[in-house]
Amino acid sequence: MKRILTGLQPTGIITLGNYIGAIKQMVKYQDMYESYLFIADLHSITIPQDPNELSKNIKSLLALYLACGIDPKKNKIFIQSENLYHANISWLLECNTYYGELSRMTQFKDKSRKNANFTSGLLTYPVLMASDILIYDVDYVPVGIDQKQHVELARDIAIRFNKKFGETFKIPEPLISTEGTKIMDLVDPTKKMSKSSDNPKGVIRILDEPEVIRKKIMSATTDSDTIIKFDPINKPGISNLINIYASLSNKKIDEVEKLFVNKKYGELKKEVADLVITELTKIQSRYYELIKSKELDQILDDGIKFTSEIAKKKYELMKNKMGLHR
Ligand code: TYM
């Protein structure tokens, strides 16, 4: 059976973009692949976090995974910082990665531009991500398109390491679904919907109340035209709504276009809002039950036990190949 892995950062409540781009994909794939899903808490501290908030968000993200339909029997679920080998292996990989490669990453360029006082962790972030992926010899990495460049770097690092030290890693591939690869901000549809957005009106969070969701979608930015057509360059707002509709209804973009031929923008918005609210209220009611459950710790304990054994073997293999032994 082919293997997949992905992770999400526990920085605040996840967005509709995270859900469509990553979690919904994992739910779909869990019956087809051997699945690994983790909480990328080490990645989240590349930007300052409030420690109390962070620890709450870690548990909350796990409950959200399950509420969204992730089955703990079909996924190895764990917290990245509890598996000590991820950061150790990251160091071995860092010493085989060039500064030039890291400084060219789009996400690094964007984030470091916003805050001149960035940490070195922000620069080396993609190497830790390569470590997360390469440890488990995965075939595919389901991510939104914003993470594609990082997965490609993981491939480059793996190929280089294999060449230098002999066969050590499987070469992974990004797995990006056509619908919903990038959900955009509702206020500024030229930007991706992001947890760190300055304007909360543009971002739907998985735990937003139904009225809040409806309000955000009904006031989403569109254009002065009247035709409902998928054209991300000239009609980014409408295209984003079509994309959300397609992803949640499991329809193709052109099917959605046909459904809304001769309809008004207001009708599209109303139907998108109905769809999002139906999907998210189901998740929310499961979440509020799960967050109190004792089952969460057991899932994490099982996950860390299983994944630590695999990661330890990979670490020993790498150390031996690199001459780090007595
Ligand atoms: P993160 O936490 O920023 O995002 C988690 C996942 O959500 C996807 N995503 C989106 N998809 C569609 N539209 C959007 N607006 C949107 N916003 C976010 C992201 O593409 C991602 O798949 N570095 C990663 C976490 C990570 C990881 C890994 C992922 C760490 N190690 C190893 C895969 C494999 C991150 O920060 O994702």
Side-chain angles (χ1 to χ4, degrees):
M1 203 185 221
K2 301 248 184 201
R3 196 175 290 163
I4 57 173
L5 165 141
T6 205
L8 280 82
Q9 292 191 49
T11 42
I13 300 301
I14 52 170
T15 69
L16 184 67
N18 298 132
Y19 174 63
I20 292 176
I23 303 187
K24 203 168 150 53
Q25 305 304 321
M26 287 301 279
V27 173
K28 184 171 89 187
Y29 296 136
Q30 65 188 354
D31 292 312
M32 299 154 63
Y33 301 116
E34 185 188 337
S35 306
Y36 290 68
L37 177 61
F38 67 98
I39 295 173
D41 57 345
L42 293 176
H43 277 100
S44 68
I45 58 167
T46 53
I47 289 188
Q49 301 292 333
D50 175 83
N52 292 325
E53 280 299 307
L54 181 58
S55 81
K56 262 192 248 154
N57 287 337
I58 289 174
K59 238 352 184 340
S60 160
L61 182 54
L62 172 63
L64 280 172
Y65 283 167
L66 305 186
C68 289
I70 293 293
D71 181 345
K73 292 198 185 71
K74 296 179 185 158
N75 288 266
K76 312 289 177 217
I77 304 177
F78 64 101
I79 299 177
Q80 185 188 31
S81 67
E82 289 186 355
N83 190 327
L84 304 181
Y85 298 102
H86 283 236
N88 276 310
I89 290 178
S90 181
W91 177 254
L92 303 187
L93 295 175
E94 262 179 54
C95 297
N96 288 283
T97 307
Y98 299 107
Y99 170 79
E101 290 175 301
L102 296 176
S103 61
R104 278 196 296 276
M105 291 288 114
T106 314
Q107 185 176 296
F108 170 71
K109 285 199 280 188
D110 284 351
K111 291 197 175 165
S112 58
R113 216 178 282 131
K114 279 190 201 145
N115 178 6
N117 225 355
F118 58 85
T119 65
S120 53
L122 195 68
L123 177 74
T124 55
Y125 168 124
V127 191
L128 178 59
M129 190 162 156
S131 162
D132 302 332
I133 297 169
L134 300 179
I135 286 173
Y136 302 99
D137 287 321
V138 302
D139 297 278
Y140 305 116
V141 187
V143 281
I145 201 142
D146 61 312
Q147 294 295 327
K148 185 168 177 248
Q149 196 184 32
H150 291 158
V151 181
E152 282 164 354
L153 180 69
R155 284 172 60 88
D156 292 345
I157 295 174
I159 292 169
R160 182 181 308 136
F161 195 99
N162 284 352
K163 235 189 218 158
K164 198 163 165 192
F165 299 106
E167 205 54 30
T168 311
F169 301 118
K170 186 161 211 168
I171 311 302
E173 274 178 48
L175 189 58
I176 296 170
S177 77
T178 6
E179 272 79 35
T181 46
K182 199 172 191 183
I183 302 302
M184 309 307 274
D185 187 279
L186 296 173
V187 174
D188 177 357
T190 61
K191 274 189 345 202
K192 92 166 176 179
M193 185 182 282
S194 162
K195 276 184 264 180
S196 56
S197 164
D198 307 326
N199 188 348
K201 289 188 185 144
V203 181
I204 294 179
R205 294 189 182 262
I206 297 287
L207 298 180
D208 276 352
E209 305 264 329
E211 316 83 78
V212 175
I213 297 174
R214 190 171 298 282
K215 213 166 161 192
K216 287 180 184 173
I217 295 177
M218 292 311 290
S219 44
T221 304
T222 49
D223 49 64
S224 54
D225 195 12
T226 54
I227 301 161
I228 297 180
K229 198 172 87 180
F230 189 75
D231 176 358
I233 307 285
N234 300 306
K235 299 167 82 66
I238 286 295
S239 304
N240 191 33
L241 294 174
I242 294 177
N243 210 358
I244 295 173
Y245 191 97
S247 310
L248 295 186
S249 62
N250 299 317
K251 289 194 165 57
K252 300 246 171 301
I253 298 284
D254 56 341
E255 290 177 311
V256 181
E257 281 178 327
K258 277 192 203 123
L259 219 54
F260 287 96
V261 150
N262 296 330
K263 293 207 179 159
K264 299 207 170 67
Y265 283 3
E267 291 172 82
L268 172 66
K269 285 182 171 176
K270 184 186 167 297
E271 296 221 19
V272 171
D274 288 345
L275 209 56
V276 174
I277 290 170
T278 309
E279 184 116 354
L280 296 194
T281 44
K282 271 189 272 170
I283 294 174
Q284 293 173 3
S285 57
R286 283 200 295 263
Y287 169 83
Y288 289 114
E289 276 170 31
L290 281 159
I291 193 71
K292 296 173 262 166
S293 142
K294 294 225 163 50
E295 184 200 358
L296 299 183
D297 277 316
Q298 190 56 52
I299 292 171
L300 294 173
D301 289 347
D302 293 347
I304 197 61
K305 190 161 174 277
F306 188 91
T307 57
S308 289
E309 277 169 30
I310 299 180
K312 180 174 192 287
K313 283 194 193 126
K314 191 61 97 183
Y315 182 58
E316 295 298 339
L317 178 69
M318 289 173 75
K319 273 191 344 124
N320 275 329
K321 294 204 175 219
M322 294 175 78
L324 296 165
H325 51 81
R326 292 186 206 170

PDB file of all heavy atoms in Angstrom, residues 77-93:
ATOM      1  N   ILE A  77      -1.422   9.230  14.121  1.00  0.00           N
ATOM      2  CA  ILE A  77      -1.541  10.651  14.454  1.00  0.00           C
ATOM      3  C   ILE A  77      -0.587  10.969  15.602  1.00  0.00           C
ATOM      4  O   ILE A  77      -0.578  10.269  16.616  1.00  0.00           O
ATOM      5  CB  ILE A  77      -2.995  10.976  14.873  1.00  0.00           C
ATOM      6  CG1 ILE A  77      -3.972  10.552  13.764  1.00  0.00           C
ATOM      7  CG2 ILE A  77      -3.147  12.462  15.168  1.00  0.00           C
ATOM      8  CD1 ILE A  77      -5.432  10.757  14.113  1.00  0.00           C
ATOM      9  N   PHE A  78       0.223  12.021  15.441  1.00  0.00           N
ATOM     10  CA  PHE A  78       1.192  12.332  16.509  1.00  0.00           C
ATOM     11  C   PHE A  78       1.555  13.813  16.518  1.00  0.00           C
ATOM     12  O   PHE A  78       1.254  14.549  15.571  1.00  0.00           O
ATOM     13  CB  PHE A  78       2.459  11.464  16.362  1.00  0.00           C
ATOM     14  CG  PHE A  78       3.254  11.724  15.099  1.00  0.00           C
ATOM     15  CD1 PHE A  78       4.406  12.498  15.122  1.00  0.00           C
ATOM     16  CD2 PHE A  78       2.841  11.204  13.870  1.00  0.00           C
ATOM     17  CE1 PHE A  78       5.145  12.736  13.968  1.00  0.00           C
ATOM     18  CE2 PHE A  78       3.566  11.444  12.707  1.00  0.00           C
ATOM     19  CZ  PHE A  78       4.718  12.201  12.765  1.00  0.00           C
ATOM     20  N   ILE A  79       2.196  14.212  17.631  1.00  0.00           N
ATOM     21  CA  ILE A  79       2.671  15.595  17.762  1.00  0.00           C
ATOM     22  C   ILE A  79       4.148  15.618  17.376  1.00  0.00           C
ATOM     23  O   ILE A  79       4.957  14.859  17.923  1.00  0.00           O
ATOM     24  CB  ILE A  79       2.480  16.101  19.209  1.00  0.00           C
ATOM     25  CG1 ILE A  79       0.995  16.072  19.590  1.00  0.00           C
ATOM     26  CG2 ILE A  79       3.057  17.502  19.387  1.00  0.00           C
ATOM     27  CD1 ILE A  79       0.709  16.489  21.023  1.00  0.00           C
ATOM     28  N   GLN A  80       4.493  16.496  16.467  1.00  0.00           N
ATOM     29  CA  GLN A  80       5.861  16.559  15.926  1.00  0.00           C
ATOM     30  C   GLN A  80       6.916  16.714  17.027  1.00  0.00           C
ATOM     31  O   GLN A  80       7.929  16.028  17.036  1.00  0.00           O
ATOM     32  CB  GLN A  80       5.913  17.752  14.969  1.00  0.00           C
ATOM     33  CG  GLN A  80       7.173  17.961  14.185  1.00  0.00           C
ATOM     34  CD  GLN A  80       7.093  19.298  13.448  1.00  0.00           C
ATOM     35  OE1 GLN A  80       6.458  20.237  13.925  1.00  0.00           O
ATOM     36  NE2 GLN A  80       7.720  19.382  12.297  1.00  0.00           N
ATOM     37  N   SER A  81       6.677  17.610  18.009  1.00  0.00           N
ATOM     38  CA  SER A  81       7.717  17.870  19.018  1.00  0.00           C
ATOM     39  C   SER A  81       7.920  16.678  19.953  1.00  0.00           C
ATOM     40  O   SER A  81       8.935  16.587  20.633  1.00  0.00           O
ATOM     41  CB  SER A  81       7.369  19.115  19.840  1.00  0.00           C
ATOM     42  OG  SER A  81       6.220  18.875  20.623  1.00  0.00           O
ATOM     43  N   GLU A  82       6.947  15.765  20.011  1.00  0.00           N
ATOM     44  CA  GLU A  82       7.107  14.594  20.884  1.00  0.00           C
ATOM     45  C   GLU A  82       8.001  13.546  20.233  1.00  0.00           C
ATOM     46  O   GLU A  82       8.525  12.669  20.896  1.00  0.00           O
ATOM     47  CB  GLU A  82       5.732  13.977  21.207  1.00  0.00           C
ATOM     48  CG  GLU A  82       4.925  14.859  22.139  1.00  0.00           C
ATOM     49  CD  GLU A  82       3.618  14.225  22.595  1.00  0.00           C
ATOM     50  OE1 GLU A  82       3.266  13.120  22.128  1.00  0.00           O
ATOM     51  OE2 GLU A  82       2.946  14.852  23.425  1.00  0.00           O
ATOM     52  N   ASN A  83       8.166  13.638  18.929  1.00  0.00           N
ATOM     53  CA  ASN A  83       9.047  12.703  18.232  1.00  0.00           C
ATOM     54  C   ASN A  83      10.406  13.393  18.046  1.00  0.00           C
ATOM     55  O   ASN A  83      10.616  14.191  17.139  1.00  0.00           O
ATOM     56  CB  ASN A  83       8.436  12.327  16.880  1.00  0.00           C
ATOM     57  CG  ASN A  83       9.179  11.174  16.236  1.00  0.00           C
ATOM     58  OD1 ASN A  83      10.395  11.047  16.410  1.00  0.00           O
ATOM     59  ND2 ASN A  83       8.481  10.345  15.502  1.00  0.00           N
ATOM     60  N   LEU A  84      11.325  13.067  18.986  1.00  0.00           N
ATOM     61  CA  LEU A  84      12.579  13.827  19.063  1.00  0.00           C
ATOM     62  C   LEU A  84      13.435  13.690  17.798  1.00  0.00           C
ATOM     63  O   LEU A  84      14.307  14.516  17.543  1.00  0.00           O
ATOM     64  CB  LEU A  84      13.381  13.359  20.273  1.00  0.00           C
ATOM     65  CG  LEU A  84      12.621  13.452  21.606  1.00  0.00           C
ATOM     66  CD1 LEU A  84      13.502  13.002  22.753  1.00  0.00           C
ATOM     67  CD2 LEU A  84      12.118  14.880  21.853  1.00  0.00           C
ATOM     68  N   TYR A  85      13.185  12.651  17.016  1.00  0.00           N
ATOM     69  CA  TYR A  85      14.030  12.417  15.844  1.00  0.00           C
ATOM     70  C   TYR A  85      13.782  13.423  14.724  1.00  0.00           C
ATOM     71  O   TYR A  85      14.663  13.662  13.906  1.00  0.00           O
ATOM     72  CB  TYR A  85      13.831  10.992  15.326  1.00  0.00           C
ATOM     73  CG  TYR A  85      14.252   9.984  16.377  1.00  0.00           C
ATOM     74  CD1 TYR A  85      13.303   9.329  17.153  1.00  0.00           C
ATOM     75  CD2 TYR A  85      15.597   9.742  16.627  1.00  0.00           C
ATOM     76  CE1 TYR A  85      13.684   8.431  18.139  1.00  0.00           C
ATOM     77  CE2 TYR A  85      15.987   8.850  17.611  1.00  0.00           C
ATOM     78  CZ  TYR A  85      15.021   8.201  18.362  1.00  0.00           C
ATOM     79  OH  TYR A  85      15.409   7.332  19.335  1.00  0.00           O
ATOM     80  N   HIS A  86      12.597  14.036  14.701  1.00  0.00           N
ATOM     81  CA  HIS A  86      12.317  14.978  13.598  1.00  0.00           C
ATOM     82  C   HIS A  86      13.332  16.130  13.597  1.00  0.00           C
ATOM     83  O   HIS A  86      13.883  16.471  12.555  1.00  0.00           O
ATOM     84  CB  HIS A  86      10.887  15.526  13.705  1.00  0.00           C
ATOM     85  CG  HIS A  86       9.856  14.554  13.238  1.00  0.00           C
ATOM     86  ND1 HIS A  86       8.941  14.853  12.252  1.00  0.00           N
ATOM     87  CD2 HIS A  86       9.602  13.274  13.604  1.00  0.00           C
ATOM     88  CE1 HIS A  86       8.166  13.794  12.045  1.00  0.00           C
ATOM     89  NE2 HIS A  86       8.546  12.835  12.862  1.00  0.00           N
ATOM     90  N   ALA A  87      13.575  16.713  14.773  1.00  0.00           N
ATOM     91  CA  ALA A  87      14.497  17.852  14.822  1.00  0.00           C
ATOM     92  C   ALA A  87      15.949  17.388  14.642  1.00  0.00           C
ATOM     93  O   ALA A  87      16.766  18.081  14.025  1.00  0.00           O
ATOM     94  CB  ALA A  87      14.332  18.612  16.131  1.00  0.00           C
ATOM     95  N   ASN A  88      16.265  16.186  15.162  1.00  0.00           N
ATOM     96  CA  ASN A  88      17.630  15.669  14.989  1.00  0.00           C
ATOM     97  C   ASN A  88      17.929  15.389  13.513  1.00  0.00           C
ATOM     98  O   ASN A  88      18.995  15.734  13.007  1.00  0.00           O
ATOM     99  CB  ASN A  88      17.786  14.359  15.770  1.00  0.00           C
ATOM    100  CG  ASN A  88      18.129  14.625  17.216  1.00  0.00           C
ATOM    101  OD1 ASN A  88      19.038  15.387  17.519  1.00  0.00           O
ATOM    102  ND2 ASN A  88      17.374  14.041  18.117  1.00  0.00           N
ATOM    103  N   ILE A  89      16.985  14.766  12.861  1.00  0.00           N
ATOM    104  CA  ILE A  89      17.185  14.446  11.438  1.00  0.00           C
ATOM    105  C   ILE A  89      17.224  15.730  10.619  1.00  0.00           C
ATOM    106  O   ILE A  89      17.972  15.860   9.656  1.00  0.00           O
ATOM    107  CB  ILE A  89      16.091  13.459  10.962  1.00  0.00           C
ATOM    108  CG1 ILE A  89      16.368  12.104  11.617  1.00  0.00           C
ATOM    109  CG2 ILE A  89      16.025  13.360   9.438  1.00  0.00           C
ATOM    110  CD1 ILE A  89      15.381  11.011  11.305  1.00  0.00           C
ATOM    111  N   SER A  90      16.438  16.699  11.057  1.00  0.00           N
ATOM    112  CA  SER A  90      16.441  17.982  10.365  1.00  0.00           C
ATOM    113  C   SER A  90      17.857  18.577  10.369  1.00  0.00           C
ATOM    114  O   SER A  90      18.320  19.119   9.372  1.00  0.00           O
ATOM    115  CB  SER A  90      15.451  18.923  11.051  1.00  0.00           C
ATOM    116  OG  SER A  90      15.432  20.138  10.384  1.00  0.00           O
ATOM    117  N   TRP A  91      18.551  18.438  11.473  1.00  0.00           N
ATOM    118  CA  TRP A  91      19.919  18.985  11.534  1.00  0.00           C
ATOM    119  C   TRP A  91      20.836  18.282  10.529  1.00  0.00           C
ATOM    120  O   TRP A  91      21.607  18.922   9.801  1.00  0.00           O
ATOM    121  CB  TRP A  91      20.487  18.870  12.960  1.00  0.00           C
ATOM    122  CG  TRP A  91      21.901  19.360  13.002  1.00  0.00           C
ATOM    123  CD1 TRP A  91      23.024  18.608  13.097  1.00  0.00           C
ATOM    124  CD2 TRP A  91      22.331  20.732  12.884  1.00  0.00           C
ATOM    125  NE1 TRP A  91      24.140  19.418  13.042  1.00  0.00           N
ATOM    126  CE2 TRP A  91      23.742  20.719  12.920  1.00  0.00           C
ATOM    127  CE3 TRP A  91      21.671  21.942  12.752  1.00  0.00           C
ATOM    128  CZ2 TRP A  91      24.501  21.883  12.829  1.00  0.00           C
ATOM    129  CZ3 TRP A  91      22.423  23.115  12.658  1.00  0.00           C
ATOM    130  CH2 TRP A  91      23.821  23.073  12.698  1.00  0.00           C
ATOM    131  N   LEU A  92      20.718  16.956  10.463  1.00  0.00           N
ATOM    132  CA  LEU A  92      21.562  16.208   9.504  1.00  0.00           C
ATOM    133  C   LEU A  92      21.256  16.658   8.074  1.00  0.00           C
ATOM    134  O   LEU A  92      22.155  16.778   7.237  1.00  0.00           O
ATOM    135  CB  LEU A  92      21.344  14.696   9.643  1.00  0.00           C
ATOM    136  CG  LEU A  92      21.586  14.082  11.030  1.00  0.00           C
ATOM    137  CD1 LEU A  92      21.484  12.562  10.965  1.00  0.00           C
ATOM    138  CD2 LEU A  92      22.949  14.487  11.598  1.00  0.00           C
ATOM    139  N   LEU A  93      19.980  16.937   7.824  1.00  0.00           N
ATOM    140  CA  LEU A  93      19.597  17.387   6.479  1.00  0.00           C
ATOM    141  C   LEU A  93      20.032  18.829   6.230  1.00  0.00           C
ATOM    142  O   LEU A  93      20.438  19.182   5.120  1.00  0.00           O
ATOM    143  CB  LEU A  93      18.084  17.250   6.277  1.00  0.00           C
ATOM    144  CG  LEU A  93      17.516  15.823   6.296  1.00  0.00           C
ATOM    145  CD1 LEU A  93      15.994  15.854   6.207  1.00  0.00           C
ATOM    146  CD2 LEU A  93      18.096  14.981   5.152  1.00  0.00           C
TER     147      LEU A  93
END
